[in-house]
Amino acid sequence: MRIDLHTHSTASDGTDTPTRVVEQAAAAGLDVIALTDHDTTDGWAEAAEAALAHGIGLVRGSEVTASASGISLHLLSYLQDPTSAPLADAMRATKTARISRARTMVDLLAEDYDLTWEDVVAQTASGATVGRPHIADALVAKGIVHDRSAAFTAMLLPTSRYYVRHRAPTALEVIDLVLTAGGVPVLAHPGAEQRGRVLGDVAIEELAEAGLVGLEVHHRDNSPDQVERLAEIAARLGLLVMGSSDFHGTGKPNVLGENLTDPQVLAQVEERGAIAVVRG
Ligand code: AMP
Ligand code: ZN
Ligand code: FE
Ligand code: FE
C-alpha cells in the first residue's frame, strides 16, 4: 500500500485541478492520497468523484493555517465533518485575511517591481485560497524571477521586506476546532526550518496534550536532524508518524509518493475521523 496524505490542488495553491491530482496519483501507483488544500474543503467533491473513477482511496482533509508565538504553522486536518461550523468559519476567515495580506505584499513589491494585483489574480483559480505561491507565479509570469523557488528565496520568505503576516487562530485553537469537527489534527512539516522558526519540544508537548494526533515526520522540508528529533518526540508522546509529499503540481519539486505513510497509521486516522475514506 502506497499512501501519501498531503497534496494540494487549484482549490488552493497547487497547479493541478483536484481531478488531475487524483489522476496523477493513480498513474504514480499510489493507493491512497489525501487532498489537503489550504484553509478549504472546496476541492473535496471533485476529488472524490475522480477517486471513484480511478479506483484509488481519498482521504478528505485540509491544511489549516495557525499561528503560535509569532510563527506561522500548518495543521493538517483529516476526515473532519465539513459542516462543522466552528472550523469552517475559521477557515473562511483565514481565507479572507489571506486576500488582504496578499494585496499588501503586492503593494510592497510594486514599489520595486512591475507587478500588480491583477497579475496575481490571473495566476489564481477562481475561488482558490490565495497564498504566496500565487504571487510567486505572477513574478514568474512577469519574467522577474524564473520559478516559484527563486521567488520565495528572493522576496517571499518571512525575512524579506515584502513579507506580511496574516491573522490566523493559534495552533491550540485549531486543534480544538479540528477535534470539534471530528477531524484528526496532525502538525505539518514541523521541522521546516528554512520556512521560519519551528516549534520546540515543549511547544509540541503542549499541542499533544491539547489533542494533536500526529507529526509529519517524513517531509522533504524536515532536515535529517529534524526527522530524527521528530521521530523521537512522536515515539515519546505516542503520536502517529506521517510521511507525505506535500505535492503542489508543477510549481514545486515535490513528487507524489516521495514520502509515504504506513497503512496501520492510516487505519488509526480513519478510525478517529468523522467521515469515511472514499474508496474507489
Ligand atoms: P502562504 O500560504 O502564503 O503562507 O504560503 C505557503 C505556501 O508556500 C506553502 O504551501 C508552501 O508550499 C509554499 N512555500 C513555502 N516556502 C516555499 C519555498 N521556499 N519555495 C516554494 N514554495 C514555498
Ligand atoms: Zn501550499
Ligand atoms: Fe504547509
Ligand atoms: Fe501543504
PDB file of all heavy atoms in Angstrom, residues 168-206:
ATOM      1  N   ALA A 168      -4.465  34.467  11.965  1.00  0.00           N
ATOM      2  CA  ALA A 168      -4.892  33.062  11.963  1.00  0.00           C
ATOM      3  C   ALA A 168      -5.095  32.641  13.407  1.00  0.00           C
ATOM      4  O   ALA A 168      -4.482  33.205  14.310  1.00  0.00           O
ATOM      5  CB  ALA A 168      -3.832  32.180  11.297  1.00  0.00           C
ATOM      6  N   PRO A 169      -5.961  31.654  13.641  1.00  0.00           N
ATOM      7  CA  PRO A 169      -6.130  31.176  15.017  1.00  0.00           C
ATOM      8  C   PRO A 169      -4.831  30.533  15.517  1.00  0.00           C
ATOM      9  O   PRO A 169      -3.986  30.137  14.716  1.00  0.00           O
ATOM     10  CB  PRO A 169      -7.243  30.123  14.900  1.00  0.00           C
ATOM     11  CG  PRO A 169      -7.399  29.832  13.465  1.00  0.00           C
ATOM     12  CD  PRO A 169      -6.807  30.954  12.688  1.00  0.00           C
ATOM     13  N   THR A 170      -4.686  30.434  16.830  1.00  0.00           N
ATOM     14  CA  THR A 170      -3.494  29.777  17.375  1.00  0.00           C
ATOM     15  C   THR A 170      -3.570  28.273  17.095  1.00  0.00           C
ATOM     16  O   THR A 170      -4.650  27.727  16.814  1.00  0.00           O
ATOM     17  CB  THR A 170      -3.394  29.970  18.895  1.00  0.00           C
ATOM     18  OG1 THR A 170      -4.484  29.272  19.509  1.00  0.00           O
ATOM     19  CG2 THR A 170      -3.446  31.456  19.286  1.00  0.00           C
ATOM     20  N   ALA A 171      -2.442  27.612  17.220  1.00  0.00           N
ATOM     21  CA  ALA A 171      -2.399  26.165  16.993  1.00  0.00           C
ATOM     22  C   ALA A 171      -3.314  25.435  17.975  1.00  0.00           C
ATOM     23  O   ALA A 171      -3.995  24.475  17.605  1.00  0.00           O
ATOM     24  CB  ALA A 171      -0.968  25.663  17.120  1.00  0.00           C
ATOM     25  N   LEU A 172      -3.349  25.908  19.215  1.00  0.00           N
ATOM     26  CA  LEU A 172      -4.235  25.268  20.199  1.00  0.00           C
ATOM     27  C   LEU A 172      -5.691  25.440  19.795  1.00  0.00           C
ATOM     28  O   LEU A 172      -6.496  24.512  19.917  1.00  0.00           O
ATOM     29  CB  LEU A 172      -3.998  25.864  21.598  1.00  0.00           C
ATOM     30  CG  LEU A 172      -2.673  25.474  22.253  1.00  0.00           C
ATOM     31  CD1 LEU A 172      -2.448  26.276  23.537  1.00  0.00           C
ATOM     32  CD2 LEU A 172      -2.638  23.978  22.562  1.00  0.00           C
ATOM     33  N   GLU A 173      -6.030  26.633  19.291  1.00  0.00           N
ATOM     34  CA  GLU A 173      -7.409  26.853  18.814  1.00  0.00           C
ATOM     35  C   GLU A 173      -7.726  25.949  17.627  1.00  0.00           C
ATOM     36  O   GLU A 173      -8.821  25.364  17.548  1.00  0.00           O
ATOM     37  CB  GLU A 173      -7.605  28.333  18.420  1.00  0.00           C
ATOM     38  CG  GLU A 173      -7.735  29.266  19.625  1.00  0.00           C
ATOM     39  CD  GLU A 173      -7.614  30.752  19.267  1.00  0.00           C
ATOM     40  OE1 GLU A 173      -7.136  31.086  18.149  1.00  0.00           O
ATOM     41  OE2 GLU A 173      -7.989  31.575  20.119  1.00  0.00           O
ATOM     42  N   VAL A 174      -6.772  25.838  16.701  1.00  0.00           N
ATOM     43  CA  VAL A 174      -7.031  24.997  15.516  1.00  0.00           C
ATOM     44  C   VAL A 174      -7.241  23.540  15.930  1.00  0.00           C
ATOM     45  O   VAL A 174      -8.150  22.874  15.440  1.00  0.00           O
ATOM     46  CB  VAL A 174      -5.888  25.115  14.487  1.00  0.00           C
ATOM     47  CG1 VAL A 174      -6.038  24.067  13.385  1.00  0.00           C
ATOM     48  CG2 VAL A 174      -5.864  26.516  13.874  1.00  0.00           C
ATOM     49  N   ILE A 175      -6.427  23.051  16.852  1.00  0.00           N
ATOM     50  CA  ILE A 175      -6.593  21.661  17.307  1.00  0.00           C
ATOM     51  C   ILE A 175      -7.990  21.464  17.886  1.00  0.00           C
ATOM     52  O   ILE A 175      -8.680  20.483  17.591  1.00  0.00           O
ATOM     53  CB  ILE A 175      -5.491  21.291  18.328  1.00  0.00           C
ATOM     54  CG1 ILE A 175      -4.158  21.137  17.589  1.00  0.00           C
ATOM     55  CG2 ILE A 175      -5.832  20.010  19.086  1.00  0.00           C
ATOM     56  CD1 ILE A 175      -2.957  20.997  18.505  1.00  0.00           C
ATOM     57  N   ASP A 176      -8.430  22.433  18.662  1.00  0.00           N
ATOM     58  CA  ASP A 176      -9.768  22.383  19.240  1.00  0.00           C
ATOM     59  C   ASP A 176     -10.853  22.364  18.165  1.00  0.00           C
ATOM     60  O   ASP A 176     -11.801  21.583  18.233  1.00  0.00           O
ATOM     61  CB  ASP A 176      -9.943  23.641  20.099  1.00  0.00           C
ATOM     62  CG  ASP A 176     -10.513  23.316  21.436  1.00  0.00           C
ATOM     63  OD1 ASP A 176      -9.994  22.381  22.072  1.00  0.00           O
ATOM     64  OD2 ASP A 176     -11.502  23.994  21.810  1.00  0.00           O
ATOM     65  N   LEU A 177     -10.704  23.251  17.171  1.00  0.00           N
ATOM     66  CA  LEU A 177     -11.680  23.334  16.086  1.00  0.00           C
ATOM     67  C   LEU A 177     -11.730  22.031  15.296  1.00  0.00           C
ATOM     68  O   LEU A 177     -12.802  21.539  14.940  1.00  0.00           O
ATOM     69  CB  LEU A 177     -11.311  24.489  15.133  1.00  0.00           C
ATOM     70  CG  LEU A 177     -11.411  25.916  15.702  1.00  0.00           C
ATOM     71  CD1 LEU A 177     -10.675  26.901  14.791  1.00  0.00           C
ATOM     72  CD2 LEU A 177     -12.875  26.315  15.851  1.00  0.00           C
ATOM     73  N   VAL A 178     -10.556  21.468  15.022  1.00  0.00           N
ATOM     74  CA  VAL A 178     -10.481  20.222  14.232  1.00  0.00           C
ATOM     75  C   VAL A 178     -11.126  19.077  15.016  1.00  0.00           C
ATOM     76  O   VAL A 178     -11.929  18.310  14.476  1.00  0.00           O
ATOM     77  CB  VAL A 178      -9.013  19.899  13.865  1.00  0.00           C
ATOM     78  CG1 VAL A 178      -8.891  18.498  13.273  1.00  0.00           C
ATOM     79  CG2 VAL A 178      -8.462  20.948  12.893  1.00  0.00           C
ATOM     80  N   LEU A 179     -10.810  18.990  16.315  1.00  0.00           N
ATOM     81  CA  LEU A 179     -11.381  17.910  17.126  1.00  0.00           C
ATOM     82  C   LEU A 179     -12.893  18.058  17.242  1.00  0.00           C
ATOM     83  O   LEU A 179     -13.633  17.075  17.172  1.00  0.00           O
ATOM     84  CB  LEU A 179     -10.730  17.883  18.518  1.00  0.00           C
ATOM     85  CG  LEU A 179      -9.250  17.480  18.557  1.00  0.00           C
ATOM     86  CD1 LEU A 179      -8.683  17.666  19.961  1.00  0.00           C
ATOM     87  CD2 LEU A 179      -9.055  16.031  18.090  1.00  0.00           C
ATOM     88  N   THR A 180     -13.355  19.305  17.387  1.00  0.00           N
ATOM     89  CA  THR A 180     -14.795  19.548  17.469  1.00  0.00           C
ATOM     90  C   THR A 180     -15.495  19.113  16.182  1.00  0.00           C
ATOM     91  O   THR A 180     -16.635  18.654  16.196  1.00  0.00           O
ATOM     92  CB  THR A 180     -15.061  21.049  17.751  1.00  0.00           C
ATOM     93  OG1 THR A 180     -14.451  21.375  18.996  1.00  0.00           O
ATOM     94  CG2 THR A 180     -16.545  21.361  17.812  1.00  0.00           C
ATOM     95  N   ALA A 181     -14.792  19.251  15.063  1.00  0.00           N
ATOM     96  CA  ALA A 181     -15.353  18.835  13.766  1.00  0.00           C
ATOM     97  C   ALA A 181     -15.154  17.335  13.524  1.00  0.00           C
ATOM     98  O   ALA A 181     -15.461  16.840  12.438  1.00  0.00           O
ATOM     99  CB  ALA A 181     -14.704  19.644  12.642  1.00  0.00           C
ATOM    100  N   GLY A 182     -14.626  16.625  14.522  1.00  0.00           N
ATOM    101  CA  GLY A 182     -14.404  15.188  14.354  1.00  0.00           C
ATOM    102  C   GLY A 182     -13.218  14.866  13.462  1.00  0.00           C
ATOM    103  O   GLY A 182     -13.082  13.742  12.969  1.00  0.00           O
ATOM    104  N   GLY A 183     -12.358  15.855  13.242  1.00  0.00           N
ATOM    105  CA  GLY A 183     -11.183  15.649  12.387  1.00  0.00           C
ATOM    106  C   GLY A 183      -9.991  15.147  13.180  1.00  0.00           C
ATOM    107  O   GLY A 183     -10.003  15.099  14.415  1.00  0.00           O
ATOM    108  N   VAL A 184      -8.948  14.778  12.463  1.00  0.00           N
ATOM    109  CA  VAL A 184      -7.723  14.249  13.057  1.00  0.00           C
ATOM    110  C   VAL A 184      -6.607  15.258  12.819  1.00  0.00           C
ATOM    111  O   VAL A 184      -6.172  15.448  11.679  1.00  0.00           O
ATOM    112  CB  VAL A 184      -7.365  12.889  12.415  1.00  0.00           C
ATOM    113  CG1 VAL A 184      -6.125  12.291  13.068  1.00  0.00           C
ATOM    114  CG2 VAL A 184      -8.557  11.936  12.487  1.00  0.00           C
ATOM    115  N   PRO A 185      -6.160  15.953  13.877  1.00  0.00           N
ATOM    116  CA  PRO A 185      -5.146  17.000  13.694  1.00  0.00           C
ATOM    117  C   PRO A 185      -3.711  16.473  13.696  1.00  0.00           C
ATOM    118  O   PRO A 185      -3.324  15.714  14.582  1.00  0.00           O
ATOM    119  CB  PRO A 185      -5.378  17.933  14.898  1.00  0.00           C
ATOM    120  CG  PRO A 185      -5.970  17.072  15.954  1.00  0.00           C
ATOM    121  CD  PRO A 185      -6.654  15.907  15.281  1.00  0.00           C
ATOM    122  N   VAL A 186      -2.963  16.889  12.697  1.00  0.00           N
ATOM    123  CA  VAL A 186      -1.563  16.473  12.518  1.00  0.00           C
ATOM    124  C   VAL A 186      -0.734  17.726  12.237  1.00  0.00           C
ATOM    125  O   VAL A 186      -1.129  18.569  11.425  1.00  0.00           O
ATOM    126  CB  VAL A 186      -1.445  15.479  11.335  1.00  0.00           C
ATOM    127  CG1 VAL A 186       0.008  15.285  10.921  1.00  0.00           C
ATOM    128  CG2 VAL A 186      -2.094  14.134  11.692  1.00  0.00           C
ATOM    129  N   LEU A 187       0.404  17.854  12.893  1.00  0.00           N
ATOM    130  CA  LEU A 187       1.276  19.010  12.645  1.00  0.00           C
ATOM    131  C   LEU A 187       2.076  18.778  11.361  1.00  0.00           C
ATOM    132  O   LEU A 187       2.812  17.803  11.244  1.00  0.00           O
ATOM    133  CB  LEU A 187       2.211  19.210  13.849  1.00  0.00           C
ATOM    134  CG  LEU A 187       3.086  20.468  13.845  1.00  0.00           C
ATOM    135  CD1 LEU A 187       2.243  21.747  13.777  1.00  0.00           C
ATOM    136  CD2 LEU A 187       3.973  20.487  15.096  1.00  0.00           C
ATOM    137  N   ALA A 188       1.885  19.689  10.380  1.00  0.00           N
ATOM    138  CA  ALA A 188       2.552  19.555   9.082  1.00  0.00           C
ATOM    139  C   ALA A 188       3.998  20.035   9.172  1.00  0.00           C
ATOM    140  O   ALA A 188       4.305  20.983   9.907  1.00  0.00           O
ATOM    141  CB  ALA A 188       1.799  20.358   8.025  1.00  0.00           C
ATOM    142  N   HIS A 189       4.878  19.374   8.429  1.00  0.00           N
ATOM    143  CA  HIS A 189       6.309  19.741   8.314  1.00  0.00           C
ATOM    144  C   HIS A 189       6.839  20.497   9.543  1.00  0.00           C
ATOM    145  O   HIS A 189       7.251  21.662   9.435  1.00  0.00           O
ATOM    146  CB  HIS A 189       6.575  20.547   7.031  1.00  0.00           C
ATOM    147  CG  HIS A 189       5.534  21.582   6.694  1.00  0.00           C
ATOM    148  ND1 HIS A 189       5.397  22.754   7.382  1.00  0.00           N
ATOM    149  CD2 HIS A 189       4.579  21.610   5.746  1.00  0.00           C
ATOM    150  CE1 HIS A 189       4.407  23.452   6.878  1.00  0.00           C
ATOM    151  NE2 HIS A 189       3.878  22.793   5.884  1.00  0.00           N
ATOM    152  N   PRO A 190       6.859  19.829  10.720  1.00  0.00           N
ATOM    153  CA  PRO A 190       7.236  20.544  11.965  1.00  0.00           C
ATOM    154  C   PRO A 190       8.713  20.922  12.042  1.00  0.00           C
ATOM    155  O   PRO A 190       9.089  21.668  12.942  1.00  0.00           O
ATOM    156  CB  PRO A 190       6.907  19.536  13.075  1.00  0.00           C
ATOM    157  CG  PRO A 190       6.265  18.361  12.415  1.00  0.00           C
ATOM    158  CD  PRO A 190       6.548  18.419  10.959  1.00  0.00           C
ATOM    159  N   GLY A 191       9.512  20.423  11.113  1.00  0.00           N
ATOM    160  CA  GLY A 191      10.944  20.749  11.168  1.00  0.00           C
ATOM    161  C   GLY A 191      11.401  21.576   9.979  1.00  0.00           C
ATOM    162  O   GLY A 191      12.588  21.579   9.639  1.00  0.00           O
ATOM    163  N   ALA A 192      10.461  22.311   9.363  1.00  0.00           N
ATOM    164  CA  ALA A 192      10.790  23.084   8.152  1.00  0.00           C
ATOM    165  C   ALA A 192      11.498  24.378   8.525  1.00  0.00           C
ATOM    166  O   ALA A 192      10.924  25.469   8.464  1.00  0.00           O
ATOM    167  CB  ALA A 192       9.519  23.355   7.345  1.00  0.00           C
ATOM    168  N   GLU A 193      12.762  24.265   8.897  1.00  0.00           N
ATOM    169  CA  GLU A 193      13.499  25.427   9.420  1.00  0.00           C
ATOM    170  C   GLU A 193      13.748  26.515   8.377  1.00  0.00           C
ATOM    171  O   GLU A 193      13.895  27.693   8.730  1.00  0.00           O
ATOM    172  CB  GLU A 193      14.842  24.966   9.998  1.00  0.00           C
ATOM    173  CG  GLU A 193      14.674  24.154  11.269  1.00  0.00           C
ATOM    174  CD  GLU A 193      15.947  23.401  11.637  1.00  0.00           C
ATOM    175  OE1 GLU A 193      16.479  22.669  10.793  1.00  0.00           O
ATOM    176  OE2 GLU A 193      16.392  23.566  12.785  1.00  0.00           O
ATOM    177  N   GLN A 194      13.815  26.131   7.100  1.00  0.00           N
ATOM    178  CA  GLN A 194      14.088  27.158   6.082  1.00  0.00           C
ATOM    179  C   GLN A 194      12.864  28.034   5.816  1.00  0.00           C
ATOM    180  O   GLN A 194      12.955  29.057   5.160  1.00  0.00           O
ATOM    181  CB  GLN A 194      14.637  26.531   4.792  1.00  0.00           C
ATOM    182  CG  GLN A 194      13.635  25.860   3.879  1.00  0.00           C
ATOM    183  CD  GLN A 194      13.051  24.570   4.473  1.00  0.00           C
ATOM    184  OE1 GLN A 194      13.491  24.080   5.504  1.00  0.00           O
ATOM    185  NE2 GLN A 194      12.022  24.044   3.840  1.00  0.00           N
ATOM    186  N   ARG A 195      11.688  27.620   6.344  1.00  0.00           N
ATOM    187  CA  ARG A 195      10.480  28.441   6.173  1.00  0.00           C
ATOM    188  C   ARG A 195      10.338  29.482   7.277  1.00  0.00           C
ATOM    189  O   ARG A 195       9.504  30.365   7.209  1.00  0.00           O
ATOM    190  CB  ARG A 195       9.228  27.567   6.237  1.00  0.00           C
ATOM    191  CG  ARG A 195       9.099  26.612   5.088  1.00  0.00           C
ATOM    192  CD  ARG A 195       7.687  26.083   5.079  1.00  0.00           C
ATOM    193  NE  ARG A 195       7.552  24.955   4.170  1.00  0.00           N
ATOM    194  CZ  ARG A 195       6.391  24.479   3.768  1.00  0.00           C
ATOM    195  NH1 ARG A 195       5.280  25.018   4.204  1.00  0.00           N
ATOM    196  NH2 ARG A 195       6.345  23.465   2.950  1.00  0.00           N
ATOM    197  N   GLY A 196      11.091  29.291   8.362  1.00  0.00           N
ATOM    198  CA  GLY A 196      10.974  30.192   9.506  1.00  0.00           C
ATOM    199  C   GLY A 196      11.253  29.408  10.768  1.00  0.00           C
ATOM    200  O   GLY A 196      11.657  28.244  10.697  1.00  0.00           O
ATOM    201  N   ARG A 197      11.027  30.027  11.918  1.00  0.00           N
ATOM    202  CA  ARG A 197      11.289  29.324  13.172  1.00  0.00           C
ATOM    203  C   ARG A 197      10.361  28.114  13.299  1.00  0.00           C
ATOM    204  O   ARG A 197       9.242  28.129  12.799  1.00  0.00           O
ATOM    205  CB  ARG A 197      11.070  30.275  14.352  1.00  0.00           C
ATOM    206  CG  ARG A 197      12.262  31.227  14.566  1.00  0.00           C
ATOM    207  CD  ARG A 197      12.074  32.040  15.840  1.00  0.00           C
ATOM    208  NE  ARG A 197      10.879  32.873  15.776  1.00  0.00           N
ATOM    209  CZ  ARG A 197      10.017  33.022  16.775  1.00  0.00           C
ATOM    210  NH1 ARG A 197      10.200  32.392  17.922  1.00  0.00           N
ATOM    211  NH2 ARG A 197       8.972  33.814  16.645  1.00  0.00           N
ATOM    212  N   VAL A 198      10.830  27.071  13.983  1.00  0.00           N
ATOM    213  CA  VAL A 198       9.992  25.888  14.187  1.00  0.00           C
ATOM    214  C   VAL A 198       9.704  25.728  15.679  1.00  0.00           C
ATOM    215  O   VAL A 198      10.369  26.326  16.522  1.00  0.00           O
ATOM    216  CB  VAL A 198      10.649  24.603  13.619  1.00  0.00           C
ATOM    217  CG1 VAL A 198      10.927  24.755  12.130  1.00  0.00           C
ATOM    218  CG2 VAL A 198      11.923  24.247  14.376  1.00  0.00           C
ATOM    219  N   LEU A 199       8.691  24.915  15.999  1.00  0.00           N
ATOM    220  CA  LEU A 199       8.320  24.710  17.395  1.00  0.00           C
ATOM    221  C   LEU A 199       9.364  23.864  18.118  1.00  0.00           C
ATOM    222  O   LEU A 199       9.882  22.896  17.571  1.00  0.00           O
ATOM    223  CB  LEU A 199       6.976  23.990  17.481  1.00  0.00           C
ATOM    224  CG  LEU A 199       5.727  24.766  17.040  1.00  0.00           C
ATOM    225  CD1 LEU A 199       4.483  23.934  17.338  1.00  0.00           C
ATOM    226  CD2 LEU A 199       5.634  26.122  17.731  1.00  0.00           C
ATOM    227  N   GLY A 200       9.618  24.210  19.365  1.00  0.00           N
ATOM    228  CA  GLY A 200      10.499  23.416  20.213  1.00  0.00           C
ATOM    229  C   GLY A 200       9.740  22.244  20.819  1.00  0.00           C
ATOM    230  O   GLY A 200       8.522  22.128  20.674  1.00  0.00           O
ATOM    231  N   ASP A 201      10.486  21.371  21.520  1.00  0.00           N
ATOM    232  CA  ASP A 201       9.885  20.163  22.082  1.00  0.00           C
ATOM    233  C   ASP A 201       8.734  20.471  23.042  1.00  0.00           C
ATOM    234  O   ASP A 201       7.696  19.808  23.013  1.00  0.00           O
ATOM    235  CB  ASP A 201      10.952  19.354  22.847  1.00  0.00           C
ATOM    236  CG  ASP A 201      12.028  18.806  21.919  1.00  0.00           C
ATOM    237  OD1 ASP A 201      12.101  19.264  20.759  1.00  0.00           O
ATOM    238  OD2 ASP A 201      12.783  17.922  22.358  1.00  0.00           O
ATOM    239  N   VAL A 202       8.932  21.489  23.887  1.00  0.00           N
ATOM    240  CA  VAL A 202       7.903  21.790  24.890  1.00  0.00           C
ATOM    241  C   VAL A 202       6.607  22.245  24.208  1.00  0.00           C
ATOM    242  O   VAL A 202       5.503  21.838  24.598  1.00  0.00           O
ATOM    243  CB  VAL A 202       8.415  22.870  25.878  1.00  0.00           C
ATOM    244  CG1 VAL A 202       7.305  23.328  26.810  1.00  0.00           C
ATOM    245  CG2 VAL A 202       9.605  22.323  26.668  1.00  0.00           C
ATOM    246  N   ALA A 203       6.754  23.058  23.164  1.00  0.00           N
ATOM    247  CA  ALA A 203       5.570  23.532  22.441  1.00  0.00           C
ATOM    248  C   ALA A 203       4.829  22.365  21.786  1.00  0.00           C
ATOM    249  O   ALA A 203       3.587  22.313  21.792  1.00  0.00           O
ATOM    250  CB  ALA A 203       5.970  24.563  21.392  1.00  0.00           C
ATOM    251  N   ILE A 204       5.580  21.407  21.245  1.00  0.00           N
ATOM    252  CA  ILE A 204       4.928  20.232  20.635  1.00  0.00           C
ATOM    253  C   ILE A 204       4.237  19.401  21.724  1.00  0.00           C
ATOM    254  O   ILE A 204       3.127  18.902  21.529  1.00  0.00           O
ATOM    255  CB  ILE A 204       5.944  19.393  19.826  1.00  0.00           C
ATOM    256  CG1 ILE A 204       6.424  20.196  18.602  1.00  0.00           C
ATOM    257  CG2 ILE A 204       5.322  18.065  19.381  1.00  0.00           C
ATOM    258  CD1 ILE A 204       7.459  19.496  17.742  1.00  0.00           C
ATOM    259  N   GLU A 205       4.869  19.297  22.889  1.00  0.00           N
ATOM    260  CA  GLU A 205       4.233  18.568  24.005  1.00  0.00           C
ATOM    261  C   GLU A 205       2.901  19.221  24.395  1.00  0.00           C
ATOM    262  O   GLU A 205       1.919  18.526  24.686  1.00  0.00           O
ATOM    263  CB  GLU A 205       5.172  18.542  25.215  1.00  0.00           C
ATOM    264  CG  GLU A 205       6.292  17.509  25.073  1.00  0.00           C
ATOM    265  CD  GLU A 205       7.482  17.778  25.998  1.00  0.00           C
ATOM    266  OE1 GLU A 205       7.303  18.434  27.046  1.00  0.00           O
ATOM    267  OE2 GLU A 205       8.589  17.331  25.646  1.00  0.00           O
ATOM    268  N   GLU A 206       2.874  20.548  24.371  1.00  0.00           N
ATOM    269  CA  GLU A 206       1.616  21.251  24.697  1.00  0.00           C
ATOM    270  C   GLU A 206       0.528  20.927  23.681  1.00  0.00           C
ATOM    271  O   GLU A 206      -0.636  20.738  24.035  1.00  0.00           O
ATOM    272  CB  GLU A 206       1.855  22.771  24.729  1.00  0.00           C
ATOM    273  CG  GLU A 206       2.459  23.252  26.042  1.00  0.00           C
ATOM    274  CD  GLU A 206       2.930  24.708  25.984  1.00  0.00           C
ATOM    275  OE1 GLU A 206       2.497  25.433  25.056  1.00  0.00           O
ATOM    276  OE2 GLU A 206       3.731  25.089  26.851  1.00  0.00           O
TER     277      GLU A 206
END
